[in-house]
């Protein structure tokens, strides 16, 4: 492969029993598997008990809970000795908004004069920093005597907040509280009363101002040391769209580490491509997962499913209508604070404009309309919009103006964003671009995707539920644009379903009548009567996605997912106010489905499982052999059936995997053999052209170079066997094969 570009990466989720010593013990297994790089989730010091590591409290320290710097150095050396590189997941956008964060503690003590005050994205003009930490309103807790102050700390319960240095010695707690650089408030005020930028709607994560070079240097000092010392060979940047200026951030990263490949977590919408001036090796690959799922989805089956779904559920909306409503709901609730901040920033930016004299309500209306009309995560305007962003902003303004009684304020704000000439205008467009991405993520992935339930294989991160299929020309053009350094994933810690589970759902587009039979059987269960039809359809797909033949084990996982799905949908049940009756009814229905299957798997279920397995093998072949390089999510090499987190972060039994590699029909064996093929055909896979063929017989990926043709194929019906590197036939007659032949 190209220097610095992996043959394949292996994504490891640190924490929850996986520390540096555990990963070090895995190195012989990973070497035999055939990957070239470990790809580690964040290793920096995180909040006590963190299960994921994205809630960093100190970016200058490696987490002692994982083994600290010494443990990481031992792992890095052991990996180097085996010829393995390390790619590190870094989190520049935010740290934890908790009292464990030492930089934040300094801000609480010193306020705007703290050395770290400008490190955090805090609106000091709005007054003291709001801390929504109280379990009850401040006045009630004050009257109840819940507060005390001593030894430089303000206390309630087990919480201790540092007082400002030089705070007056007084018995008047209200006066003491009023003298601080912070204000304690009831946690419910986080909806619209916070004064810091947060990660999406997660108030416990505070935005970092890495657009300030001093902040960038402070937050990246350890990262630079790890790379320059040879312990880390690549970086993955979390949530690049949350940054104020992604292009400049990547420029600075490139200046500091010019020979280090950097991949960005960036969700590309539709035909969107990465901005050409970004100094990055590529994205983490959600668009590749989308392409694979769309290529294997049967268009005629989708038509049948759509008809059956609408008949069964009574849903008559299209997805765009559902998404629009979800955006409005999220702006009214989860992102109400962000919209209020944008309205106030827009008011400052619009002062003195000859186009309009907007009031607060017209500004709120215009900001809402523009956010809802933004079709992708964001634009990338700094001092002025480039041609693509300028055209996109015009389109957004036209869409936003539809249905408004006056478009004057929409046009005013669109003009300000296209050509921001004042500090206030630049501040507004910067924050608008950060919020638009948060809105799309929360509204599409975490709301509409759980409401519009037709075909869950397309309700995925980076996918479009109403665009489940792909044309041959579109697929081939996508492959032609890919580079050797592009990452190809099918499963991550963020995907709504693992790759294998997604292929089981793709199977229902191949066999819609089989799914209809399962639906009819489940609808006849007595427990179905108490469940809204949309949730019956959803629960059935989710049960299919993770069914492992064990009703009890599957039920525990499915119940947890149902609870999350219903609350994320935000229809009748919410995280802050669960509809326990509806959730219990859905869980009972799910358990009855699984018990029904456990007694005797229906023929329709068996057909879907067989087709899903075949599609999972085909997906593996495409992931390994399409342009770019594969990223393997831990455990997926042996087969992974999982729903969204925390289900996809359950413990992995690596000890059982080597034995599976001996079974030539097992996914583990295919993974190992395809990784070996990637190593032995490095030049071919780097240089070969790529195309996709899709017809009634199946799907083929074709790579051509150096007088040879590599074909990875999924065939619906038995076909004449060619000389193959790998071949697998399935019980339903379908086949998956990988062949290399001489070009004709």
């Amino acid at each position: 492969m190209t220097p610095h570009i992996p043959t394949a990466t292996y994504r490891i989720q640190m924490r929850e029993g996986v520390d540096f010593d555990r990963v070090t013990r895995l190195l012989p297994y990973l070497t035999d598997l055939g990957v070239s790089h470990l790809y580690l989730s964040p290793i920096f010091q995180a909040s006590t008990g963190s299960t994921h590591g994205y809630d960093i409290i100190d970016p200058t320290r490696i987490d002692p809970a994982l083994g600290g710097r010494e443990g990481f150095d031992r792992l890095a050396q052991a990996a180097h000795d085996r010829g393995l590189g390390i790619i590190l997941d870094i989190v520049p956008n935010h740290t934890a908004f908790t009292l464990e964060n030492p930089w934040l503690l300094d801000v609480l003590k010193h306020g705007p004069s703290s050395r770290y005050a400008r490190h955090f994205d805090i609106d000091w003009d709005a007054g003291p920093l709001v801390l929504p930490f109280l379990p009850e309103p401040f006045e009630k807790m004050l009257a109840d005597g819940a507060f005390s102050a001593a030894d430089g700390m303000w206390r309630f319960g087990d919480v201790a907040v540092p007082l400002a240095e030089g705070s007056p010695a007084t018995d008047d707690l209200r006066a003491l509280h009023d003298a601080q650089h912070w204000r304690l408030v009831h946690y419910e005020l986080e909806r619209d009363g916070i004064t810091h930028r947060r990660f999406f709607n997660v108030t416990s994560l505070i935005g970092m101002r890495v657009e300030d070079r001093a902040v960038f240097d402070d937050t990246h000092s350890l990262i630079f040391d790890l790379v320059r010392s040879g312990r880390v060979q690549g970086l993955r940047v979390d949530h690049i769209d949350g940054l104020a200026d992604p292009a400049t951030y990547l420029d600075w990263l490139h200046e500091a580490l010019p020979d280090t490949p950097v991949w960005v977590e960036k969700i590309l919408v539709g035909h969107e491509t990465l901005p050409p001036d970004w100094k990055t090796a590529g994205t983490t690959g959600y668009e590749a997962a989308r392409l694979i799922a769309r290529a294997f989805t049967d268009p005629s089956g989708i038509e049948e499913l759509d008809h059956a779904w609408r008949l069964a559920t009574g849903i008559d909306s299209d997805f765009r209508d559902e998404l629009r409503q979800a955006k409005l709901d999220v702006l009214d609730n989860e992102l109400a604070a962000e919209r209020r901040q944008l309205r106030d920033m827009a008011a400052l930016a619009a002062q003195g404009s000859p186009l309009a004299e907007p009031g607060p309500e017209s500004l709120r209306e215009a900001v809402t309309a523009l956010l809802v009309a933004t079709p992708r995560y964001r634009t990338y305007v700094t001092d002025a919009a480039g041609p693509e962003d300028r055209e996109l902003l015009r389109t957004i303004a036209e869409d936003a103006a539809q249905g408004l009684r006056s478009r004057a304020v929409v046009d005013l704000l669109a003009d300000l964003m296209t050509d921001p000439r004042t500090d206030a205008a630049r501040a507004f467009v910067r924050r608008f671009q950060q919020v638009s991405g948060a809105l799309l993520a929360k509204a599409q992935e975490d709301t509409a995707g759980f409401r519009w339930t037709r075909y869950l294989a397309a309700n995925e991160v980076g996918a479009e539920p109403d665009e489940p299929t792909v044309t041959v020309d579109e697929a081939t053009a996508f492959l032609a644009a890919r580079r050797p350094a592009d990452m190809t994933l099918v499963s991550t810690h963020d995907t709504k379903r693992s790759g294998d589970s997604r292929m089981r759902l793709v199977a229902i587009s191949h066999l819609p009548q089989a799914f209809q039979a399962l639906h009819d059987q489940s609808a006849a269960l007595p427990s179905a009567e108490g469940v809204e039809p949309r949730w019956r359809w959803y629960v059935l797909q989710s049960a299919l996605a993770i069914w492992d033949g064990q009703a009890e084990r599957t039920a525990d996982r499915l119940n947890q997912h149902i609870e999350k799905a219903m609350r994320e949908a935000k229809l009748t049940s919410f995280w802050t106010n669960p509809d326990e009756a509806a959730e219990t009814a859905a869980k009972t229905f799910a358990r009855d489905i699984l018990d029904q299957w456990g007694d005797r798997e229906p023929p329709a279920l068996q057909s879907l499982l067989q087709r899903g397995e075949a599609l999972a093998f085909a997906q593996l072949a495409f992931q390994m052999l399409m342009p770019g390089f594969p990223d393997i999510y831990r455990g997926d090499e042996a087969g992974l059936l999982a729903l969204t987190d925390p289900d996809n972060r359950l413990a992995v039994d690596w000890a059982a995997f080597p034995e599976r590699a001996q079974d030539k029909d097992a996914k583990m064996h295919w993974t190992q053999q395809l990784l070996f093929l990637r190593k032995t055909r490095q030049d071919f896979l780097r240089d070969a052209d790529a195309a996709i063929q899709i017809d009634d017989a199946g799907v083929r990926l074709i790579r051509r170079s150096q007088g040879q043709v590599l074909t990875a194929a999924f065939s619906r019906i038995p076909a004449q066997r060619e000389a193959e590197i790998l071949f697998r036939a399935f019980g339903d007659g379908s086949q998956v094969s990988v062949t290399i032949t001489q070009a004709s």
Side-chain angles (χ1 to χ4, degrees), residues 658-677:
E659 183 177 340
R660 298 188 197 181
Q662 306 308 311
D663 180 358
K664 293 187 177 180
D665 283 336
K667 184 180 180 183
M668 180 75 187
H669 176 78
W670 272 63
T671 301
Q672 202 168 42
Q673 293 301 306
L674 286 167
L675 287 173
F676 178 76
L677 176 62

Side-chain angles (χ1 to χ4, degrees), residues 81-254:
D81 292 344
R82 289 184 170 273
L84 297 173
I86 292 178
I87 294 172
L88 204 57
D89 193 346
I90 63 173
V91 191
N93 180 67
H94 55 264
T95 59
F97 188 57
T98 74
L99 298 175
E100 288 189 284
N101 188 326
W103 293 359
L104 184 62
L105 289 178
D106 194 82
V107 171
L108 298 180
K109 289 180 183 178
H110 302 288
S113 64
S114 165
R115 177 184 183 276
Y116 300 105
R118 296 291 294 168
H119 284 52
F120 299 103
D121 210 338
I122 297 169
D123 182 6
W124 290 108
D125 291 335
L129 176 61
V130 170
L131 305 179
F133 296 167
L134 298 182
E136 297 178 293
F138 178 87
E139 292 297 334
K140 182 179 186 304
M141 293 185 68
L142 183 65
D144 290 346
F147 299 130
S148 64
D151 302 321
M153 306 297 287
W154 177 285
R155 302 180 187 277
F156 60 96
D158 296 330
V159 179
V161 185
L163 295 168
E165 289 192 354
S167 289
T170 176
D171 293 328
D172 185 345
L173 289 177
R174 186 193 304 279
L176 180 62
H177 182 262
D178 289 346
Q180 302 309 307
H181 303 296
W182 42 263
R183 289 288 180 273
L184 284 166
V185 300
H186 188 206
Y187 71 86
E188 288 188 350
L189 194 63
E190 72 176 7
R191 175 184 172 187
D192 60 1
I194 58 172
T195 55
H196 69 276
R197 179 174 65 84
R198 54 187 173 174
F199 171 71
F200 291 178
N201 66 324
V202 184
T203 305
S204 60
L205 297 174
I206 183 171
M208 304 300 291
R209 297 184 60 259
V210 292
E211 64 272 20
D212 183 311
R213 189 56 188 253
V215 179
F216 174 87
D217 291 339
D218 281 353
T219 54
H220 288 67
S221 60
L222 176 57
I223 296 167
F224 295 159
D225 177 59
L226 294 175
V227 173
R228 290 165 179 164
S229 64
R231 290 167 175 79
V232 169
Q233 285 71 45
L235 300 174
R236 179 260 194 192
V237 179
D238 182 67
H239 188 43
I240 189 75
D241 277 341
L243 304 184
D245 185 357
T248 297
Y249 172 83
L250 291 170
D251 285 345
W252 290 351
L253 209 54
H254 180 73

Side-chain angles (χ1 to χ4, degrees), residues 281-358:
T283 73
T284 53
Y286 284 104
E287 65 280 0
R290 179 192 182 205
L291 182 279
I292 294 172
R294 295 173 78 199
F296 288 130
T297 294
D298 187 323
S300 62
I302 290 294
E303 291 183 10
E304 285 192 50
L305 285 170
D306 184 81
H307 176 75
W309 170 67
R310 293 184 186 279
L311 187 64
T313 64
I315 295 174
D316 60 3
S317 63
D318 64 32
F319 179 71
R320 296 299 135 181
D321 291 337
E322 198 73 72
L323 178 58
R324 174 182 172 77
Q325 185 57 53
K327 285 185 172 183
L328 291 170
D329 291 348
V330 169
L331 285 172
D332 283 345
N333 295 279
E334 286 77 13
L335 296 180
E338 283 70 18
R339 179 171 59 181
R340 178 185 58 76
Q341 291 165 351
L342 278 173
R343 182 204 64 192
D344 294 345
M345 297 172 83
L348 290 175
Q351 285 181 357
S353 171
L355 300 178
E357 263 184 330

Side-chain angles (χ1 to χ4, degrees), residues 566-586:
M566 295 183 77
R567 296 179 188 183
E568 293 284 19
K570 308 172 189 69
L571 292 171
T572 64
S573 196
F574 310 91
W575 289 108
T576 53
N577 185 20
D579 184 342
E580 295 182 0
E583 292 177 3
T584 299

